[in-house]
């Protein structure tokens, strides 16, 4: 990908630092996004770069208010066993429909490619969308993706016409295989689901961003604070997906707004081109003409 | 089939729980669970069964049926 540079900061490690902002060239994908100021998800451009989960809120009303205050245009949903007589699923479905946002069903809890594929097929019918957040979980404690099952399921689902949003690790070769399988969106974790630890492996995420300039990269999971989300956006990620940090906040509605503003600020900062960090202090005020400069 | 009991049932597993059900279709099972009017999706033995195929999908003894509906998710 000639001409692509991740960001001034990444370039900084490899060469002279002072001309970095001048040298910085955005790739066509990024220019498009900047012009549209939206997020490209398989050709659907949505205005917000925040994707919000719908689980764990104190009440359906607070969930609805949080989604609205976040400005999110995409919310994640799930499928669970329905009991005889049912009704709870239908009520939730009606609530989400009233919000007027795009739904991104997940395959949360699936432990094999087969389970995830079947769940995706069921979700497509229920939610009437070919979007699927593909999760294949490999470890109960870390909720680490089973990347082998993930790649296998992604291949099958892409061939079946799904638009796959795979929840993966920061591993570069796995991302390559997901892209080869047909994924145009890739969602590496920031940290394990629900931990709120933030960006645990910043360098790896920087590499991922640099290697996949044409893929919409979304940091998914592990985000605990608005500053974590801003950091992900400053690294050049296209969006952030989070749930627990909003749902379990003291005031989920205000926290949703806080994240929304942090994500916008981080994106704007990335587009503006961050200054490279320096090892030594450099005076910001001009040295020439400093009074008393010639004295001792 | 005269002379045989009319109340023959088969044992299947619905959402992880054993259930004695009359032999019949997947659609009949969904109806018997009072879920006809609810947005659900179904799978039998790990394979998706579209709503349009429920009425022609005959359940066999030992079948494992999943009936799912929308829920909150992250």
């Amino acid at each position: 990908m000639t001409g692509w540079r991740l960001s001034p900061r990444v370039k900084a490690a490899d060469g002279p630092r002072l001309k970095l902002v001048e040298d910085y060239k955005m790739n066509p994908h990024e220019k498009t996004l900047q012009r549209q100021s939206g997020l490209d998800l398989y050709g659907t451009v949505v205005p917000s770069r925040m994707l919000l989960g719908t689980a764990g809120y104190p009440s359906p009303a607070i969930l609805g208010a949080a989604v609205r205050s976040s400005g999110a245009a995409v919310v994640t949903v799930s499928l669970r066993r329905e009991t005889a007589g049912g009704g709870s699923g239908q009520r939730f479905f009606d609530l989400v429909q009233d919000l007027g946002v795009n739904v991104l069903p997940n395959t949360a809890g699936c432990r094999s490619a087969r389970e995830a594929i079947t769940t995706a097929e069921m979700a497509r019918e229920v939610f009437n969308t070919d979007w699927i957040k593909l999760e294949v979980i490999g470890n109960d404690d870390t909720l680490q993706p089973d990347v082998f099952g993930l790649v296998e399921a992604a291949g099958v689902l892409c061939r079946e016409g799904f638009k796959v949003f795979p929840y993966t690790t920061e591993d570069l070769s796995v991302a390559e295989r997901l892209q080869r399988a047909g994924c145009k969106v890739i969602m590496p974790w920031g940290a394990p689901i629900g931990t709120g630890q933030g960006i645990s492996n910043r360098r790896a995420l920087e590499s991922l961003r640099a290697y996949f300039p044409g893929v919409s990269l979304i940091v998914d999971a592990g985000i605990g604070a608005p500053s974590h989300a801003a950091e992900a956006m400053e690294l050049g990620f296209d969006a952030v997906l989070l749930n627990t940090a909003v749902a379990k906040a003291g005031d989920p509605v205000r926290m949703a707004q806080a994240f929304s503003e942090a994500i916008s600020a981080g994106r704007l900062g990335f587009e503006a081109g961050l200054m490279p960090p320096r090892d030594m202090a450099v005076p910001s005020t001009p040295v020439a003409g400093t009074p008393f400069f010639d004295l001792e | 089939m005269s002379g045989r009991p009319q109340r023959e049932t088969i044992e299947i597993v619905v959402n992880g729980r054993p259930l004695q059900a009359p032999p019949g279709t997947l659609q009949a099972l969904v109806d018997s669970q009072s879920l006809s009017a609810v947005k659900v999706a179904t799978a039998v033995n790990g394979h998706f069964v579209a709503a349009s195929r429920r009425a022609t999908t005959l359940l066999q003894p030992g079948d494992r049926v999943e009936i799912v509906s929308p829920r909150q998710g992250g």
Side-chain angles (χ1 to χ4, degrees):
Chain A
M1 294 292 175
T2 55
W4 164 257
R5 289 182 178 81
L6 167 61
S7 72
R9 179 167 295 179
V10 167
K11 175 69 177 166
D14 302 321
R17 295 181 170 189
L18 290 178
K19 291 185 179 175
L20 289 173
V21 174
E22 293 171 5
D23 287 344
Y24 179 58
K25 301 273 195 304
M26 287 186 292
N27 73 345
H29 173 68
E30 209 190 333
K31 280 182 179 169
T32 303
L33 286 181
Q34 187 186 41
R35 200 163 48 240
Q36 295 172 335
S37 196
L39 170 65
D40 185 351
L41 302 170
Y42 286 93
T44 298
V45 178
V46 297
S48 170
R49 293 178 179 276
M50 177 170 172
L51 291 78
L52 189 58
T54 56
Y57 291 80
S59 72
I62 291 176
L63 162 62
V67 171
R68 282 190 289 273
S69 81
S70 75
V74 179
V75 299
T76 53
V77 295
S78 188
L79 287 175
R80 286 294 178 262
R81 287 169 166 169
E82 185 58 285
T83 52
S88 54
Q90 188 67 45
R91 282 193 296 277
F92 174 67
F93 185 80
D94 293 341
L95 168 70
V96 170
Q97 283 220 310
D98 288 346
L99 291 172
V101 293
N102 299 281
V103 294
L104 174 59
N106 68 27
T107 63
C110 290
R111 295 155 187 272
S112 69
R114 183 69 256 165
E115 287 179 16
I117 291 164
T118 300
T119 302
E121 291 167 335
M122 292 194 289
R124 179 163 61 178
E125 183 179 78
V126 164
F127 293 106
N128 195 29
T129 178
D130 52 11
W131 287 7
I132 190 72
K133 175 183 166 179
L134 182 61
E135 296 182 42
V136 183
I137 298 301
N139 183 286
D140 285 342
D141 294 324
T142 63
L143 297 180
Q144 169 141 0
D146 168 5
V147 295
F148 304 98
L150 183 71
V151 170
E152 180 188 346
V156 172
L157 291 171
C158 285
R159 285 194 294 277
E160 286 188 15
F162 281 90
K163 296 181 171 71
V164 179
F165 296 55
Y167 163 64
T168 184
T169 66
E170 66 276 29
D171 190 285
L172 203 60
S173 51
V174 172
E176 281 177 340
R177 284 168 189 259
L178 290 168
Q179 186 188 34
R180 218 178 298 154
C183 297
K184 297 186 186 332
V185 176
I186 295 176
M187 306 204 297
W189 61 357
I193 295 171
T195 61
Q197 293 172 355
I199 308 292
S200 292
N201 195 344
R202 180 186 169 101
R203 300 289 170 232
L205 289 181
E206 285 178 331
S207 295
L208 209 57
R209 177 69 284 180
Y211 267 83
F212 298 97
V215 175
S216 289
L217 293 182
I218 301 173
V219 171
D220 175 14
I223 298 294
S227 56
H228 300 157
E231 182 184 4
M233 298 306 292
E234 287 169 2
L235 292 177
F237 280 79
D238 293 287
V240 171
L241 196 168
L242 69 152
N243 188 155
T244 310
V246 169
K248 299 303 181 191
D251 183 340
V253 180
R254 292 177 73 193
M255 188 60 82
Q257 184 185 347
F259 269 103
S260 176
E261 293 183 8
I263 288 166
S264 294
R267 177 65 188 183
L268 192 57
F270 170 71
E271 290 177 354
L274 297 165
M275 66 162 283
R278 295 164 169 147
D279 295 331
M280 300 294 289
V282 178
S284 50
T285 304
V287 174
T290 304
F292 320 115
F293 191 69
D294 54 339
L295 301 176
E296 179 37 24
Chain B
M1 303 295 280
S2 60
R4 283 200 154 194
Q6 296 297 304
R7 287 180 155 184
E8 190 180 347
T9 60
I10 58 171
E11 180 163 323
I12 56 177
V13 179
V14 179
N15 286 345
R17 296 188 173 193
L19 181 75
Q20 293 290 332
T25 65
L26 179 58
Q27 184 62 53
L29 175 69
V30 171
D31 293 344
S32 75
Q33 301 284 303
S34 305
L35 293 172
S36 328
V38 180
K39 211 154 192 51
V40 295
T42 50
V44 177
N45 298 328
H47 295 278
F48 171 60
V49 179
S52 58
R53 286 177 41 225
R54 284 180 205 149
T56 54
T57 300
L58 282 172
L59 295 177
Q60 307 295 326
D63 275 353
R64 303 184 71 86
V65 179
E66 296 287 341
I67 305 175
V68 297
S69 69
R71 284 293 189 289
Q72 297 82 349

